[in-house]
Amino acid sequence: MLFNRTQKNPVRIADKGVVEWKYAACGYCSTGCSIEVGLNAKGRPVASRGVAEADVNRGKLCLKGIFEHELFDSAGRGTHPLMRDNWHEAWQPADWDTALDRLHGEIVRIQQRYGRDSFAIISTGQMLTEEFYTLGKLTRGLIGTNNYDGNTTLCMSSAVSGYKRSFGSDGPPGCYEDFEHTDCLIAWGSNLPEQHPIIYWRMKEAQEKRGFPLIVVDPRVTMLAQNAHIHLPVTPGTDVVLMNAMMHVIFEEGLEDRRYIDANTTGVDALQAEVAGYNPAMAARICGIDEDTIRNVARLYARAGAAMSIWTMGINQSTHGSDGVVGINNLALVTGNIGKPGGTSLSITGQCNAMGTREWSSCSGLPNYRLLEDPGHREEIGAFWGVDPDFFPKQRGLYQTDIYPAIESGQIKGLWLIATNPMSSLPNTARVRKAMENLEFCAVQDCYQDTESAQYAHVYLPAGTWAEKEGVMTNTERRVNLVKPITPPPEQAKPDLWIFNQVARRFDTNGTLSFPEKPAEIFREMTVLSRGRLADISGMSHELIEQCRGVQWPYTQEQAESGEGPPKGGKRIYTEDATFSYPDGRARLIPLPFIDNNEVPDEAYPFWLNTGRLIEHWHGRSKTGKIGNNNKYSPIPFIEINPDAAAEQGISMGEYVRLVSRRSDAVVMAMPTQRVPKNMLFLPFHFHDCANRLTLGLLDPYSRQPAYKQGAVRIELISDQKAAARMSMEMRKF
Ligand SMILES: Nc1nc2c(c(=O)[nH]1)N[C@H]1C(S)=C(S)[C@@H](COP(=O)(O)OP(=O)(O)OC[C@H]3O[C@@H](n4cnc5c(=O)[nH]c(N)nc54)[C@H](O)[C@@H]3O)O[C@H]1N2
Ligand SMILES: Nc1nc2c(c(=O)[nH]1)N[C@H]1C(S)=C(S)[C@@H](COP(=O)(O)OP(=O)(O)OC[C@H]3O[C@@H](n4cnc5c(=O)[nH]c(N)nc54)[C@H](O)[C@@H]3O)O[C@H]1N2
Ligand code: SF4
Ligand SMILES: [Mo]
C-alpha cells in the first residue's frame, strides 16, 4: 500500500459494467481521435475512452469525446419521419415510403416547373465519406441540380480556394508530426486548445521537448495566445497586411530561399514588387502590430531551419479569407517551407469529415478533386457511373451563401438540408428566416428533430448519427479513419446512406446506376476512382484502416502490395522539388493588394463583434446542449467584454445587456475579461437566435465564405434584468 487509507481516500472510478468496447473515430472535430465506446451487458453505450495505439490521440480524448457515448439517447432525437403541408402546421407522423415519395415527388415537380437548378441541396462536413460519395452520385448523376453545396462554404472554402490558387489543388500538405520537426510555429486565427484540444496536446508536447517559438496571431488573448512566446493582437481582417509586411522584411534582408523559389515557383517578381509597398512602419498603422515586432517575427520565421504555419477560422472567415491562405502559402514558399518535415502550411480543418466532403462529395465538382470544368473528368466519371457526361453541368453551381439569396429572389424553390442547420449557422438570421419561409418545399434530414431549421420543413427525415453508422472520415492531416456501428439508430431513424439509396431508387427505377448498400463496397468503388489521383486511397480497405487506427492518403495499391510493413501512408503531399499540381509542377506566388472592405466600428456601433467557439460546445448545440457535462459550462449566451469598456458603459459582471447591430439585436450576459481589447466583444455562436442575428457576413470574393468575425455592434443597458434573465434561461433550450 502506497498510501494510508485512514488519511486519503483512493480515487474510485465508477464501474460502468462494460462488457465490450467498440471502435470508432470521434464524430466532433477534425482532429480525428480514435475512440472506443463501452457497452454494458444490455448492449447500451455507457463509457468512452481514447485508443492508446492510435497515432493521432495516443489514448487521449477531450471534453467532447469523453462524453460522446451519451449522444445516442440524448433528448430531441428524431425517431419517425414527419410530414405536413405547410411549415407552420403541426407535424404528422409518416412512414418512410410516404415521406421519401413526397421528397422525390417535390424534387421532380419543382424541377419540371422551374428548371433543373431550382431545387437546391445543402449538405455538411459531418457525414461519412461513403455517404458523401453516394449523395454526390445521386445529385450529379440522377437529380442533376447544379445548386448543390455543403456547409463547408462557411468553414473551409477559403482554405480550399487558397490551396488551389497557390498549389493548383486542394489538399493540406502537412501533418501533426511536423510539430516534432519544426523550428518555428505561427498560428493564425486558431484557438487550438479549445477547438482542437488533442492537436494542441500533440503540438505542446513537441514544443516542450524542443522549445521552438510559438507565435500566435489573434485579436483575442485566447488560451493558445496565453501559451505563446509572442502574441500579435492583429486588427481584425488585416492579416494579409501583416503577411505582406513580413515578406517585405524577408526580401529586404535577403532572408528568402532563392534556390527553392527558382526551382519550385513562378511569380516572385510580381510578389516582390507588391510587398515592396508594405514597409512595416506603414503596415503597423493598418494591422495594429508595431514595426519591431513585425521585423522580429519575420526574421524568426525566415531564419528557422524549418518553419510552419497553421490557421483556422480567424483567417478563413474574412473578406480576405482566400487571400489570407495564399499569403500564408506565399510566406512558406519564399522561405522554402513546403514539402519538408516541420516546414508546411497546414490548414486545421473544422468538422470531423470536412475533408471527406472536399474529396468525395462532388459538391464543387466531381469525385476526388475532379472538376466539372474539365471535359476529360466529366467523361471519366460519366463512363464510370454510367451517366451521359452531357448530363453534368460544365461549371460549378452556387455556393451555399449564394443559394440563400437565390431562394430569397425566388430563383430557387425547393431545398433539401442534410446534417446542417443554417437557421443557426448562416449570418443574418432575419434574412435566412425570410428565405426559409419563401420555399415551396423544404426537407430536413437531421439526427435531431428539434433544430431551428426543421421549423421550416415540410418533411423531416430522422437520420442516424456518428457511430450508428459505418464508414470512413478524413481528418486534418489526411488520415482516413473508420467509424463502426456501435448501436443502431433509434426506433425508425435510418443511416443517411440508406436514405440516399432509397431516394436514388425512386429516380432510377430501371437501376441503371449502381448504388451499393454496404459501406465497404462503396469504399472499394472509391479506391478504384482514386488510382493515380492526388488523394490516392487505392491501397486502403476498411479492415486495414481499422487495424492501423487510420491511414494517411496518399496510400497506393503499389505501396500496399510492396509488403513494406504496416502502412504509414503519405505524411506530406509535396516534396521539396516541383511536385505541385499545376501542369508545370510549380507553385504560384501571388501578389495580394489589400483593400479594406469590412464593416468596421464607428460612432454608432463602436465595438468589433468577434464570434467563435468554446471548448465544451459544438456549433448550434444540437448535440452538446443535451449533454449535461458539456452544457453546464456555459448554458446561456454571454459576451467577453474588456473590464475598462464595461466600466465605461456602466456594466457589471453578470449583468444582461442588449447587443445591437445594423441587422438586429440579441440579449447576452456580460463577462468582463482582459481576453478582449477595449473595442471588441467576443460572442460564442453556439446559442440559438443570438450571434447570427447580428452578423453581416460579407463574402470573400473567391471562396464565398462569410466574414463572421468582423462586424460592428453597440451595447444597450437593460433595466429589467429579471426579464432578461428569463429570456436567457429560455435559450438554454434543454
Ligand atoms: N469545441 C469545439 N471545437 C470545434 C468546433 C466547435 O464548435 N466546438 N467546431 C469545429 C469547426 S467546424 C471549426 S471550423 C473549428 C474552428 O476553430 P477555430 O478557428 O480555432 O475557432 P474560432 O473560435 O471560430 O476562431 C478562432 C479565433 O479566430 C480569431 N480571430 C477573429 N478575427 C480574426 C482576425 O481577423 N485575424 C486572426 N488572425 N484571428 C481572428 C478569434 O479571436 C478566435 O480566437 O473548430 C472545430 N472544433
Ligand atoms: N457567427 C458564426 N457563425 C458560424 C461560425 C462562426 O465562427 N461564427 N462558424 C461556421 C462554421 S466554421 C461552421 S462549420 C458552421 C456549422 O454550421 P452547421 O452545419 O449548421 O452546424 P451544426 O450545428 O453542427 O449542424 C449540423 C447538424 O447536423 C446534425 N447531424 C449531426 N450528425 C449527423 C448525421 O450523421 N446525419 C444527419 N443527417 N445529421 C447529423 C446535427 O444535429 C446538426 O443539426 O457554422 C458556421 N457559422
Ligand atoms: S479533439 Fe476533436 S476528435 Fe479528439 S476527442 Fe476532442 S472533439 Fe473528438
Ligand atoms: Mo467549421
Side-chain angles (χ1 to χ4, degrees):
M1 261 313 168
L2 288 174
F3 52 83
N4 180 341
R5 274 181 183 280
T6 57
Q7 288 172 344
K8 262 189 173 173
N9 288 326
V11 173
R12 281 184 204 282
I13 296 176
D15 182 0
K16 303 271 182 66
V18 172
V19 295
E20 185 190 1
W21 291 96
K22 283 194 173 178
Y23 182 81
C26 174
Y28 280 112
C29 88
S30 67
T31 301
C33 296
S34 289
I35 189 168
E36 278 178 341
V37 171
L39 304 178
N40 67 12
K42 290 182 183 151
R44 289 313 303 160
V46 288
S48 306
R49 69 180 185 190
V51 176
E53 65 273 22
D55 186 54
V56 168
N57 53 317
R58 304 173 187 182
K60 303 232 176 322
L61 289 178
C62 83
L63 192 57
K64 290 176 295 305
I66 201 82
F67 297 114
E68 207 158 354
H69 60 279
E70 293 186 14
L71 277 181
F72 297 115
D73 40 36
S74 53
R77 291 295 307 270
T79 52
H80 295 81
L82 302 172
M83 285 185 16
R84 56 188 169 194
D85 289 334
N86 292 302
W87 60 261
H88 38 81
E89 291 170 2
W91 284 117
Q92 304 297 329
D95 59 43
W96 272 106
D97 272 339
T98 316
L100 291 166
D101 286 345
R102 172 103 182 268
L103 171 63
H104 168 252
E106 286 290 330
I107 298 176
V108 171
R109 179 186 70 79
I110 288 173
Q111 287 190 315
Q112 280 176 353
R113 175 136 187 229
Y114 304 105
R116 216 166 87 164
D117 293 337
S118 63
F119 193 93
I121 301 176
I122 300 177
S123 110
T124 179
Q126 299 177 49
M127 283 190 301
L128 303 167
T129 311
E130 293 82 351
E131 296 176 329
F132 284 131
Y133 175 71
T134 304
L135 175 63
K137 197 192 275 187
L138 165 64
T139 304
R140 294 283 180 217
L142 291 173
I143 299 178
T145 175
N146 199 15
N147 291 324
Y148 164 47
D149 195 26
N151 68 357
T152 38
T153 290
L154 315 180
C155 179
M156 300 319 300
S157 159
S158 293
V160 171
S161 144
Y163 274 140
K164 281 188 183 161
R165 287 166 71 200
S166 296
F167 304 145
S169 171
D170 184 21
C175 60
Y176 306 155
E177 198 201 86
D178 283 316
F179 297 128
E180 287 159 34
H181 301 284
T182 198
D183 300 305
C184 177
L185 172 65
I186 308 188
W188 307 83
S190 170
N191 188 11
L192 221 48
E194 292 205 62
Q195 270 60 84
H196 301 88
I198 304 299
I199 303 184
Y200 171 71
W201 169 72
R202 289 282 304 268
M203 189 283 289
K204 193 72 185 160
E205 202 178 53
Q207 199 208 26
E208 280 171 1
K209 279 189 196 142
R210 297 180 27 264
F212 55 81
L214 167 64
I215 298 151
V216 171
V217 187
D218 194 309
R220 272 169 84 213
V221 189
T222 57
M223 276 192 204
L224 190 64
Q226 285 178 279
N227 283 283
H229 296 94
I230 307 177
H231 173 215
L232 277 53
V234 69
T235 300
T238 66
D239 297 75
V240 166
V241 174
L242 174 61
M243 293 166 196
N244 282 347
M246 284 172 65
M247 278 182 277
H248 177 104
V249 176
I250 289 170
F251 285 119
E252 187 181 63
E253 303 188 1
L255 300 175
E256 75 274 22
D257 183 339
R258 277 288 156 187
R259 188 210 68 81
Y260 186 93
I261 294 172
D262 292 343
N264 297 298
T265 69
T266 64
V268 69
D269 294 341
L271 176 69
Q272 207 168 339
E274 178 67 32
V275 300
Y278 287 78
N279 77 63
M282 184 283 279
R285 289 203 290 273
I286 303 172
C287 70
I289 307 302
D290 66 89
E291 179 181 355
D292 280 352
T293 306
I294 296 177
R295 288 191 182 278
N296 184 19
V297 168
R299 287 172 194 146
L300 269 174
Y301 178 86
R303 286 184 183 151
M308 68 187 277
S309 284
I310 57 169
W311 77 91
T312 322
M313 291 307 121
I315 293 295
N316 289 356
Q317 290 174 346
S318 148
T319 51
H320 304 289
S322 174
D323 278 359
V325 174
V326 171
I328 290 171
N329 295 339
N330 281 345
L331 271 167
L333 290 166
V334 299
T335 53
N337 275 308
I338 295 287
K340 66 182 178 192
T344 195
S345 142
L346 182 63
S347 146
I348 305 289
T349 324
Q351 304 163 87
C352 53
N353 203 17
M355 282 291 292
T357 190
R358 278 150 80 171
E359 295 154 13
W360 289 103
S361 72
S362 307
C363 270
S364 61
L366 291 166
N368 206 307
Y369 297 135
R370 287 178 177 86
L371 305 172
L372 285 166
E373 291 78 5
D374 184 326
H377 289 172
R378 294 197 302 269
E379 290 280 339
E380 201 183 345
I381 297 299
F384 191 82
W385 282 350
V387 174
D388 177 355
D390 285 338
F391 187 68
F392 297 138
K394 298 192 177 40
Q395 61 187 53
R396 72 161 292 166
L398 297 177
Y399 287 78
Q400 181 185 5
T401 41
D402 293 315
I403 286 177
Y404 266 82
I407 298 173
E408 229 181 300
S409 69
Q411 187 188 332
I412 289 175
K413 301 285 187 190
L415 177 66
W416 182 9
L417 289 174
I418 303 158
T420 186
N421 185 13
M423 277 296 295
S424 126
S425 56
L426 274 180
N428 201 346
T429 313
R431 273 188 74 178
V432 179
R433 190 184 303 280
K434 231 169 90 189
M436 295 295 280
E437 288 177 2
N438 231 2
L439 286 165
E440 281 187 16
F441 175 79
C442 174
V444 166
Q445 176 172 328
D446 201 291
C447 51
Y448 289 91
Q449 191 181 307
D450 56 1
T451 71
E452 292 76 21
S453 302
Q455 290 170 14
Y456 294 91
H458 301 81
V459 169
Y460 166 75
L461 304 173
T465 187
W466 182 49
E468 291 166 351
K469 308 186 292 185
E470 181 184 342
V472 299
M473 305 196 292
T474 311
N475 77 351
T476 287
E477 56 167 3
R478 288 171 282 102
R479 190 181 296 271
V480 183
N481 206 344
L482 188 67
V483 175
K484 296 196 40 176
I486 286 169
T487 177
E491 301 188 38
Q492 286 185 31
K494 294 285 187 191
D496 295 280
L497 178 63
W498 182 89
I499 301 173
F500 300 143
N501 279 339
Q502 296 302 312
V503 177
R505 216 177 269 176
R506 284 165 168 78
F507 277 94
D508 186 22
T509 42
N510 299 330
T512 320
L513 274 67
S514 123
F515 280 88
E517 283 170 18
K518 292 205 170 59
E521 208 179 314
I522 301 169
F523 187 81
R524 274 195 294 279
E525 183 173 321
M526 290 158 44
T527 62
V528 177
L529 269 184
S530 80
R531 288 216 64 171
R533 307 273 318 154
L534 183 72
D536 193 327
I537 55 167
S538 60
M540 298 184 198
S541 65
H542 277 196
E543 297 74 42
L544 185 75
I545 293 167
E546 182 179 2
Q547 200 187 320
C548 302
R549 282 30 186 139
V551 180
Q552 282 170 287
W553 66 250
Y555 185 68
T556 63
Q557 195 175 340
E558 290 71 25
Q559 282 171 287
E561 284 166 0
S562 72
E564 55 176 22
K568 291 278 179 234
K571 285 185 182 156
R572 298 174 190 86
I573 53 176
Y574 304 116
T575 62
E576 272 186 83
D577 282 298
T579 54
F580 295 101
S581 299
Y582 278 112
D584 60 4
R586 286 165 179 270
R588 302 289 182 259
L589 290 170
I590 302 169
L592 305 168
F594 178 76
I595 302 150
D596 196 354
N597 54 6
N598 271 313
E599 182 182 63
V600 298
D602 57 17
E603 268 182 24
Y605 299 91
F607 292 95
W608 284 107
L609 179 70
N610 178 359
T611 66
R613 298 163 160 77
L614 304 167
I615 185 168
E616 61 273 19
H617 279 308
W618 183 259
H619 300 168
R621 292 192 308 151
S622 68
K623 289 181 171 178
T624 49
K626 279 95 172 221
I627 296 184
N629 275 315
N630 292 98
N631 200 37
K632 70 184 175 193
Y633 287 95
S634 50
I636 55 162
F638 70 93
I639 45 162
E640 293 178 354
I641 176 171
N642 184 282
D644 293 339
E648 262 176 29
Q649 305 270 328
I651 299 165
S652 45
M653 168 71 122
E655 196 173 327
Y656 290 94
V657 294
R658 173 177 287 110
L659 303 185
V660 184
S661 79
R662 288 184 180 83
R663 273 67 60 193
S664 189
D665 65 348
V667 173
V668 296
M669 181 187 270
M671 304 287 285
T673 164
Q674 299 283 359
R675 271 186 197 279
V676 284
K678 210 177 148 190
N679 64 347
M680 178 178 286
L681 308 174
F682 178 74
L683 172 58
F685 88 103
H686 303 297
F687 305 94
H688 171 46
D689 232 2
C690 194
N692 282 324
R693 286 167 66 91
L694 306 167
T695 48
L696 165 60
L698 290 173
L699 302 181
D700 178 276
Y702 295 93
S703 68
R704 313 302 289 157
Q705 183 159 346
Y708 285 112
K709 293 189 166 23
Q710 289 96 37
V713 289
R714 67 165 183 262
I715 304 179
E716 289 178 3
L717 301 184
I718 297 176
S719 51
D720 190 346
Q721 286 288 310
K722 278 196 181 146
R726 263 199 312 278
M727 195 173 147
S728 174
M729 292 306 269
E730 273 165 24
M731 283 169 155
R732 283 176 72 124
K733 206 161 146 189
F734 319 112

